[in-house]
Amino acid sequence: MTGPAFARLLRGALPALSLALLLGAIFYLQPRTMSYFGLNLLLNLAVPIALATVAQMLILTVNDLDLSIGSYVSLTACIAATWLRDTPLLGLLALGGGVLAYGALGALIHLRNLPSIVVTLGMSFVWLGLAILVLPTPGGKAPDIVRALMTWKPPYVPFPIIACVVIAALAHVALMRSPYGAVLRGAGGNPRAVARAGWSLLRVKVTMYMAAGFVGALAGIALVGLTTSADANIALRYTLLSIAGAILGGSEFVGGRVSPIGAVIGAITLTLAASFLSFLRLNPDFQIGAQGAILILVLALRALIGRAEKDR
Amino acid sequence: MSAIAKLARQPWIFAFVAAVAVWLATAAFTHGQGAGGVLSVAFTFATFFVIVAIGQMFVVTLGPGNVDLSIPATMTLAGTVSMKIMDGANWMILPGYLIAVAVGLVVGLFNVALIRLLRIPPIIATLSSSFVIQSAAIWYNRGLRVKPPTLLADFTTAKIFGLPVLAIIVILIAAVMHVVLTRTVYGRTVIAIGQNARAARLAGLDVGRVRLATYVMCAVFAASCGYVLAGFSGGAALNMGQEYLLSSIAVVVIGGTSVAGGFANVPGLWGAALFLFLLVTMLNTFGLGAGVRLVLTGLIIITVIVIAGGSRANAR
């Protein structure tokens, strides 16, 4: 195998390698996590983060950035903990409305040629405001089915692992293997070419935004299933986590170069990074900083590999 | 007629029109009571928005993907470090400010180093560095709240004829930065890079150095804002920068600067900053709940951007 080819392989494997390394370090520090129960605890919160990251990645595919995903996940979590439990029909309608609103945003951004950063920034206020209206004080209760699913203990393999594999596989098939998925990614890579080939860019944007809204809503529901109750600020940090996760997983900011499997792996890595730091008994003051350092480290590795890729 | 038509074509006019409209709506609701006071307070708070927004505007103008997300963390770190070192001593005011500037310099250089060496988009570089900077602030602060020197506190709250002294100074700074943007080689280079970085490089412009100067300048503005804000609000707090992440970007864009880069203007920053503050004040005056207030804030911001952004697209 030649140098550049090896570098390319390494680049593709980098997200998985960093995850394996982190997992190894955690097992070494705290061998008790190497059990069904331990893994379950360790990876539980990765499921909603993975979903939010996939939602962010869908937006990244069409060269946009969603700065409102955190408050949107908070809103859907609040809806799930209140209306979806008490009046399921109203809850489903509200969640469907959220998905439609995302589609409308995509259309607005495309038609008026608006910067997604600013529109979603404005929407983050709207989602947060709606979340406060739905659930003024922390509380609510997760619907029983959701709670049952999220705490399900299947034999042999812990549920979070199954969930993450299913999420990654579905997103991979839909975006990387399906014919329309290629068009969607193409719209990020070369919008003009896709438009010339007769595809509607408007439809592409709306599809992607609605898909992101749908996956984001799933993230909110999954989160409530774990925490059993919700509050309006429950997932605000997901905005930054989802961007970092998608980038860690190998997605690029422009050009439609994304990786659904990588995104899920990136989300798990970030979740584990937090546990790893607490296993290190690191001063909590440094936890955020260390998360940033891990992010910088992985990106530095990728830059090194990228340089090797170019040396021919 | 032509003067008015020319004025109406200015990209920053929307922000001022919106600010005046919101102010009039507030004044109408209170039957003119306290309208002058509201304006004075608005100028005070808009000042802080404008300081960070000037730096953010230059960064955004560099082109797509250029945004500084480390502004809040930089503000917090500069505020914390300078307040703790000054320790309330009046003679330390100037050294304290220099320390804040030094914090900004270091952060700016760190950001550029990440962007350059790791070849990562500035959004991700400044996002990761903000984690590290925030962590440093938490570690340095240790939950203490050191009071600012009395002279600094007096200075940041002083007013002349109802207009805050700080606002007057920042209006002057904005005027200087307007000249820097439109009349200097540096400013023109920033705009040129934003319009077409490749063409700018081929034209022999030192893209790397201008980019470095811009990120460092943005961090220094953020650090300065952290310093005066800490002086104004009786000490540095760990969450003091929080709202400045969103508002710095919002002020830049509502002010008529293109998020795609290459088109910028300074006057709009003042219009947008006043608009944002007056908007929140108006919704508060109407006595709305927190939820409705947030929803309306978001919707109005988007509406202004749709109107302003649409007109810019036609102009091009």
Side-chain angles (χ1 to χ4, degrees):
Chain A
M1 195 181 284
T2 57
F6 180 67
R8 203 167 308 140
L9 188 75
L10 204 59
R11 182 191 164 88
L14 191 61
L17 280 179
S18 14
L19 176 61
L21 199 70
L22 195 58
L23 207 56
I26 289 177
F27 286 162
Y28 175 76
L29 283 172
Q30 189 54 270
R32 263 175 291 175
T33 55
M34 221 184 322
S35 61
Y36 182 95
F37 187 68
L39 280 173
N40 212 7
L41 273 182
L42 215 52
L43 294 171
N44 243 339
L45 278 174
V47 178
I49 297 179
L51 286 165
T53 308
V54 168
Q56 183 69 263
M57 186 210 64
L58 292 170
I59 303 285
L60 280 175
T61 309
V62 284
N63 297 346
D64 284 347
L65 195 63
D66 186 357
L67 293 183
S68 70
I69 190 77
S71 42
Y72 177 72
V73 172
S74 296
L75 169 64
T76 53
C78 288
I79 292 175
T82 52
W83 296 349
L84 195 61
R85 180 187 170 84
D86 304 332
T87 46
L89 192 64
L90 180 66
L92 285 176
L93 277 177
L95 292 174
V99 175
L100 286 180
Y102 252 83
L105 281 182
L108 183 72
I109 287 170
H110 177 74
L111 291 175
R112 300 285 290 177
N113 200 14
L114 294 171
S116 61
I117 298 184
V118 194
V119 176
T120 54
L121 208 63
M123 281 314 288
S124 70
F125 289 99
V126 176
W127 300 134
L128 183 62
L130 290 174
I132 291 174
L133 288 177
V134 172
L135 195 64
T137 51
K141 200 159 183 291
D144 294 327
I145 308 171
V146 177
R147 180 80 189 137
L149 177 68
M150 292 308 290
T151 52
W152 181 40
K153 299 228 165 26
Y156 307 118
V157 187
F159 173 71
I161 296 181
I162 298 179
C164 285
V165 169
V166 170
I167 296 165
L170 286 179
H172 183 79
V173 169
L175 200 58
M176 310 303 277
R177 288 272 175 263
S178 77
Y180 195 56
V183 175
L184 294 173
R185 282 181 291 127
N190 191 340
R192 202 170 293 172
V194 169
R196 291 250 167 87
W199 298 95
S200 158
L201 284 180
L202 175 66
R203 222 183 110 188
V204 166
K205 272 255 158 103
V206 172
T207 308
M208 276 320 226
Y209 272 80
M210 283 179 76
F214 176 72
V215 180
L218 290 184
I221 297 170
L223 183 59
V224 161
L226 288 172
T227 58
T228 68
S229 68
D231 83 88
N233 299 315
I234 192 166
L236 291 189
R237 65 199 182 91
Y238 277 24
T239 301
L240 297 185
L241 269 180
S242 67
I243 300 173
I247 298 297
L248 269 184
S251 296
E252 305 270 346
F253 261 101
V254 286
R257 276 179 77 173
V258 293
S259 158
I261 297 177
V264 172
I265 292 179
I268 300 174
T269 310
L270 281 179
T271 320
L272 286 181
S275 320
F276 172 65
L277 297 170
S278 53
F279 285 138
L280 273 182
R281 297 214 178 75
L282 199 70
N283 184 341
D285 292 354
F286 292 117
Q287 284 222 4
I288 324 168
Q291 260 171 338
I294 289 179
L295 192 58
I296 293 173
L297 198 71
V298 173
L299 290 168
L301 274 178
R302 199 196 290 176
L304 268 178
I305 294 170
R307 212 158 287 172
E309 214 173 321
K310 274 185 199 121
D311 288 341
R312 285 161 198 262
Chain B
M1 154 65 204
S2 71
I4 294 172
K6 204 174 160 192
L7 194 67
R9 266 208 307 275
Q10 294 296 325
W12 43 263
I13 201 73
F14 280 98
F16 281 99
V17 170
V20 171
V22 168
W23 180 62
L24 287 179
T26 315
F29 188 80
T30 61
H31 303 292
Q33 236 171 4
V38 164
L39 208 56
S40 175
V41 177
F43 264 99
T44 307
F45 282 94
T47 305
F48 301 116
F49 286 143
V50 171
I51 302 176
V52 287
I54 291 175
Q56 185 74 284
M57 183 196 74
F58 273 86
V59 167
V60 166
T61 307
L62 281 174
N66 283 293
V67 175
D68 189 348
L69 296 186
S70 66
I71 284 179
T74 311
M75 286 173 63
T76 311
L77 185 63
T80 329
V81 172
S82 58
M83 287 306 130
K84 202 165 167 184
I85 288 181
M86 288 191 292
D87 201 20
N90 281 329
W91 66 274
M92 281 293 283
I93 287 181
L94 196 64
Y97 178 62
L98 291 179
I99 286 165
V101 169
V103 168
L105 281 176
V106 171
V107 169
L109 289 174
F110 183 60
N111 281 339
V112 177
L114 285 182
I115 298 168
R116 280 265 188 87
L117 297 177
L118 305 189
R119 292 157 187 265
I120 49 179
I123 297 186
I124 287 301
T126 52
L127 174 68
S128 345
S129 76
S130 78
F131 288 148
V132 179
I133 302 162
Q134 182 72 22
S135 201
I138 296 173
W139 166 74
Y140 192 84
N141 177 285
R142 303 216 166 272
L144 293 173
R145 195 177 175 95
V146 184
K147 277 211 162 22
T150 45
L151 271 181
L152 180 65
D154 292 345
F155 167 73
T156 49
T157 47
K159 285 182 182 179
I160 299 176
F161 304 122
L163 200 60
V165 173
L166 212 54
I168 297 171
I169 294 176
V170 174
I171 288 173
L172 291 177
I173 294 177
V176 170
M177 294 317 286
H178 175 72
V179 174
V180 168
L181 177 74
T182 52
R183 294 274 181 272
T184 65
V185 174
Y186 164 75
R188 306 295 294 182
T189 311
V190 168
I191 294 174
I193 294 173
Q195 289 178 1
N196 193 334
R198 201 175 133 78
R201 189 171 289 127
L202 291 176
L205 296 172
D206 195 340
V207 174
R209 192 179 295 174
V210 168
R211 206 169 265 167
L212 176 115
T214 307
Y215 274 93
V216 170
M217 184 180 82
C218 180
V220 169
F221 268 115
S224 307
C225 184
Y227 174 82
V228 284
L229 185 60
F232 176 80
S233 47
L238 283 176
N239 60 353
M240 61 187 269
Q242 225 168 31
E243 59 173 318
Y244 286 81
L245 176 62
L246 302 191
S247 48
S248 72
I249 302 174
V251 164
V252 169
V253 177
I254 294 174
T257 294
S258 162
V259 166
F263 295 90
N265 79 87
V266 178
L269 298 180
W270 266 106
L274 287 170
F275 165 66
L276 269 192
F277 182 82
L278 288 169
L279 177 64
V280 175
T281 312
M282 178 184 81
L283 298 176
N284 275 329
T285 318
F286 289 176
L288 300 170
V292 183
R293 222 158 57 211
L294 282 165
V295 172
L296 286 178
T297 309
L299 289 180
I300 292 174
I301 289 178
I302 293 176
T303 311
V304 170
I305 288 160
V306 168
I307 297 170
S311 76
R312 253 202 323 278
N314 293 340
R316 226 177 282 164

